[in-house]
Amino acid sequence: MSATRSCRPPRALAGLFLWHLRNTGTQQIPCRFVHLHHVASNRLITFQYFNFLKRMYVTRCTKDLSQRAKPKSDSIVSPFHELQQLDQEKKVVLKISPVSPVHQSWSEMSSRNELREMKSAAETDDSVIPVGAESKEDRQWKEMKLRLDDLPGILARLSKIKLTALVVSTASAGFAMAPVPFELTRFLLASLGTGLASCAANSINQFFEVPFDSNMNRTKNRPLVRGQISPLLAVCFAASCGIPGIALLTLGVNPLTGALGAFNIFLYTCCYTPLKRMSIANTWVGAVVGAIPPIMGWTAATGSLDAGALLLGGILYSWQFPHFNALSWGLREDYSRGGYCMMSVTHPGLCRRVALRHCLALIGLSAVAPVLNITTWTFPVISLPINLYISYLGFRFYRDADRSSSRKLFFCSLWHLPMLLLVMFTCKKSVLEKEDKGDLAGGSHEIAMEIRLP
Amino acid sequence: PPAHSRSDWIGPPDEHSNLRPVIFYAPPGESALERRLREARQEAQASNQRFWARHNRAFRQEKEEFIYSRLKAKGLEMRDESGQKATLNAEEMADFYKDFLSKNLKKHLQYNRDWYKRNFRITFLMGQVALVRALRWLRRRKKNVE
């Protein structure tokens, strides 16, 4: 049974015990008890150390508990006061070993381990974080071994699965808006291909940015930063998502979509990611990256780059600016320290102007949609309130330039886009021109005749 | 990590560099390739640690100095009546962030180039090691079957 395997009692004699605990509750209980027993019998020394033990015991055993650390034997010396402490602690610890005669065999080993314990105990005490099992686990040493149980979660975080889901939904919006009859298999293939391409791009992005991500609060819990997965595995995962994804798009849908997908991956990983640290132009490149998925959706459906595709791309392009500029406003310190060239840091005025400009552009683009026969005239009318609202928030952001207005704008952008796309879809111009907009959702699926609209 | 462990261990983020230190395991039968990989990783870790520790320290220091000078210009003290540390609001700090970023840009460009090169090299070595290990395992299996 995996419980006994994970507990490994005979081997875990020295000091604090590592238990490769699995996530399941039933297996935690026996391990916890054994742990407690050993903790109690170790009646250890300094209050700090005992405190540290207590904290470890209290830590949720959801992830693998692993503490004991050999003091660093290799040449890497952390630049803090460790070295002096180590000497002191060594003296203290050597006195301790005779106290616990029962565990004589491991006391020599444990002496070295205690060193680390006390140092980390000292550290954790300094940093006084009473709550949050996560932060406690953060302060522990973890074995860099891949656990298959954790793999799905790790890969999900590596591929930024939530962002990928949003990207796929914009691509499906593009597909749905295309003036052709709806083909389910094509739709699914396009969505899957886009999703895989997005996973690949996100993984490579994280692969490139490990030290920078470690230094920023928003990103410091990413899998590569935490060592939960090796860079090699991240690259292999990216390849195993990207290549089938693009192949699926090229062969299963059409070459144009595949090319766009490949181009987007390239743009994101090789242009946007390095550019982030070189110039503020990265935001514009990033906006293009965001605009391509709906274009891909459209080309997946129609097979050609029509004006409609470009309009949809344009809407998403413009949307990126209020979204990102508002987000980046609150992260200025992290960006500055991390070395990221963002408008919010270097050209704050430009940042806000651009955000506002593009909010207004959204209104304009919505008005162009009926001209291109993508939607009926009701679309600009219905979407006007939400576009005006986001423009208003954009204006407030422009004028006030403070954290609250940036947050408002950011959160508004989060619901604004899905709503806009939804309204657009319901106002979609039917393939059979005579039909009115009410029927569209059903109409576009059932229509046999396809009149390709310009 | 325990003495008997046969894998690498990663620790909590370093307080200066925010990077997580890794203790690498050198197996007794380590091949030359594996040793090269381990050394490359150790070296990259050391280099990253040096860079970020120094960089973050400089950031904190300059930030303190900036706050101090601005507060003095405003005629305030570092700590107000209640003993709380006085801070500047985000808009005032923005000047500092902008300045700091532009001052360090060149340093970052150099570091980026370095980091990308190291990262590629390490990953490539990892790939080589993995390939060699896989081939070895396959060969062993074939031998077992025979």
Side-chain angles (χ1 to χ4, degrees):
Chain A
M1 246 285 283
S2 44
T4 45
R5 216 180 52 220
S6 43
C7 285
R8 273 188 240 160
R11 290 185 62 190
L13 287 182
L16 297 166
F17 301 93
L18 345 138
W19 305 101
H20 296 283
L21 291 176
R22 307 289 175 160
N23 276 350
T24 59
T26 50
Q27 290 158 348
Q28 289 168 19
I29 300 167
C31 290
R32 251 196 216 149
F33 283 151
V34 183
H35 185 101
L36 175 57
H37 158 73
H38 281 286
V39 164
S41 66
N42 285 355
R43 213 35 59 173
L44 263 185
I45 329 106
T46 59
F47 177 65
Q48 270 186 353
Y49 183 49
F50 190 57
N51 238 5
F52 182 61
L53 278 181
K54 232 178 17 184
R55 266 193 238 139
M56 271 171 23
Y57 162 63
V58 161
T59 301
R60 259 188 299 131
C61 307
T62 50
K63 301 196 181 137
D64 35 89
L65 276 187
S66 35
Q67 273 84 41
R68 307 208 350 211
K70 201 161 56 177
K72 288 191 200 174
S73 50
D74 46 20
S75 51
I76 302 165
V77 178
S78 310
F80 40 93
H81 43 274
E82 249 179 290
L83 292 175
Q84 299 103 320
Q85 261 196 4
L86 277 179
D87 286 335
Q88 292 173 347
E89 284 155 17
K90 212 173 217 155
K91 295 196 203 96
V92 178
V93 167
L94 286 174
K95 269 197 289 199
I96 286 154
S97 19
V99 175
S100 43
V102 186
H103 302 281
Q104 196 66 321
S105 54
W106 56 263
S107 56
E108 294 98 27
M109 261 215 283
S110 68
S111 62
R112 273 186 305 154
N113 304 321
E114 262 96 88
L115 276 172
R116 217 19 170 70
E117 256 60 283
M118 294 216 254
K119 179 184 63 186
S120 23
E123 280 176 337
T124 51
D125 276 340
D126 290 335
S127 38
V128 187
I129 300 174
V131 293
E134 214 174 73
S135 60
K136 272 178 233 144
E137 278 175 25
D138 246 10
R139 300 193 179 292
Q140 294 160 4
W141 281 78
K142 295 208 165 67
E143 190 176 6
M144 282 176 93
K145 192 146 91 167
L146 188 62
R147 274 156 250 287
L148 284 162
D149 276 3
D150 299 337
L151 196 60
I154 292 174
L155 291 180
R157 264 172 291 146
L158 185 68
S159 61
K160 296 194 223 170
I161 198 90
K162 292 190 208 149
L163 179 63
T164 299
L166 291 173
V167 166
V168 170
S169 59
T170 57
S172 357
F175 191 98
M177 286 308 298
V180 285
F182 181 80
E183 285 171 55
L184 186 63
T185 45
R186 209 173 207 164
F187 174 72
L188 291 175
L189 287 176
S191 304
L192 184 63
T194 309
L196 288 173
S198 169
C199 287
N202 288 330
S203 307
I204 297 285
N205 170 270
Q206 290 198 18
F207 166 70
F208 281 159
E209 305 251 284
V210 178
F212 314 119
D213 282 345
S214 334
N215 271 284
M216 299 196 16
N217 278 315
R218 189 172 64 100
T219 53
K220 63 186 177 186
N221 285 318
R222 289 187 169 169
L224 280 171
V225 172
R226 291 168 102 185
Q228 291 172 315
I229 195 176
S230 79
L232 180 66
L233 206 56
V235 173
C236 290
F237 173 69
S240 63
C241 279
I243 296 176
I246 299 297
L248 195 63
L249 289 175
T250 316
L251 303 171
V253 183
N254 60 52
L256 179 60
T257 313
L260 281 172
F263 177 64
N264 212 18
I265 295 182
F266 167 74
L267 206 59
Y268 184 60
T269 57
C270 303
C271 298
Y272 172 68
T273 302
L275 213 54
K276 275 204 293 192
R277 308 182 59 78
M278 298 203 283
S279 119
I280 59 172
N282 68 74
T283 313
W284 282 267
V285 173
V288 174
V289 171
I292 289 185
I295 299 181
M296 280 168 67
W298 182 288
T299 58
T302 66
S304 65
L305 265 178
D306 312 312
L310 296 176
L311 177 73
L312 219 56
I315 288 183
L316 253 99
Y317 176 80
S318 284
W319 177 84
Q320 305 286 336
F321 289 99
H323 175 77
F324 183 72
N325 287 357
L327 173 68
S328 68
W329 196 258
L331 300 172
R332 282 181 287 180
E333 171 163 6
D334 272 355
Y335 282 147
S336 165
R337 189 166 54 86
Y340 284 110
C341 298
M342 299 294 174
M343 271 195 278
S344 58
V345 181
T346 56
H347 298 79
L350 178 69
C351 177
R352 301 188 324 267
R353 267 200 314 272
V354 163
L356 178 60
R357 212 185 285 162
H358 283 273
C359 287
L360 297 170
L362 282 171
I363 304 180
L365 285 168
S366 307
V368 173
V371 175
L372 293 176
N373 276 327
I374 302 172
T375 66
T376 60
W377 277 101
T378 50
F379 173 60
V381 171
I382 300 183
S383 65
L384 196 62
I386 51 177
N387 285 338
L388 278 179
Y389 183 61
I390 199 175
S391 304
Y392 165 69
L393 287 179
F395 177 70
R396 286 291 298 275
F397 177 51
Y398 173 71
R399 201 191 53 189
D400 301 338
D402 61 359
R403 193 175 166 76
S404 82
S405 57
S406 73
R407 279 167 66 88
K408 279 210 197 86
L409 180 60
F410 174 70
F411 286 117
C412 173
S413 75
L414 289 179
W415 60 255
H416 170 271
L417 183 67
M419 188 150 255
L420 188 70
L421 292 176
L422 195 65
V423 172
M424 195 181 220
F425 183 65
T426 56
C427 295
K428 178 181 172 184
K429 199 156 205 183
S430 131
V431 170
L432 286 180
E433 264 158 302
K434 296 276 174 46
E435 231 159 16
D436 73 327
K437 62 173 171 27
D439 264 339
L440 283 186
S444 55
H445 294 238
E446 285 145 329
I447 297 166
M449 188 59 225
E450 332 61 63
I451 302 172
R452 282 277 289 279
L453 295 171
Chain B
H4 65 262
S5 162
R6 291 179 49 200
S7 45
D8 302 334
W9 285 73
I10 190 165
D14 177 80
E15 64 174 310
H16 293 289
S17 68
N18 294 321
L19 301 173
R20 288 172 180 264
V22 178
I23 294 185
F24 299 100
Y25 169 66
E30 192 180 45
S31 69
L33 188 66
E34 290 172 343
R35 203 199 60 218
R36 267 202 352 243
L37 170 64
R38 182 173 53 85
E39 288 174 352
R41 291 173 79 188
Q42 280 168 335
E43 217 224 307
Q45 185 170 279
S47 158
N48 279 344
Q49 171 73 17
R50 273 195 309 266
F51 177 82
W52 286 104
R54 213 177 61 213
H55 179 78
N56 290 339
R57 223 194 320 258
F59 181 80
R60 259 182 284 238
Q61 205 172 330
E62 292 185 27
K63 186 173 172 192
E64 284 296 316
E65 289 170 4
F66 176 80
I67 293 179
Y68 182 67
S69 64
R70 277 293 170 98
L71 285 174
K72 244 187 47 195
K74 289 209 290 197
L76 298 166
E77 286 301 319
M78 276 300 283
R79 285 172 196 274
D80 63 15
E81 303 85 41
S82 60
Q84 292 272 29
K85 216 160 159 195
T87 52
L88 301 172
N89 71 28
E91 294 326 304
E92 295 166 320
M93 290 308 300
D95 289 333
F96 166 68
Y97 297 143
K98 177 174 172 180
D99 218 28
F100 187 81
L101 187 65
S102 39
K103 269 199 297 194
N104 285 280
L105 194 63
K106 209 177 250 170
K107 201 169 75 165
H108 278 294
L109 289 176
Q110 176 63 33
Y111 173 75
N112 290 348
R113 249 195 305 262
D114 236 12
W115 157 248
Y116 271 65
K117 272 200 288 216
R118 271 190 230 266
N119 199 17
F120 278 128
R121 182 156 173 267
I122 288 174
T123 310
F124 185 68
L125 281 170
M126 276 184 169
Q128 282 181 312
V129 167
L131 201 64
V132 164
R133 285 203 190 133
L135 288 172
R136 211 185 298 156
W137 180 79
L138 277 171
R139 229 175 281 143
R140 212 180 303 142
R141 252 207 16 186
K142 222 169 68 158
K143 233 173 29 169
N144 284 341
V145 168
E146 284 165 11

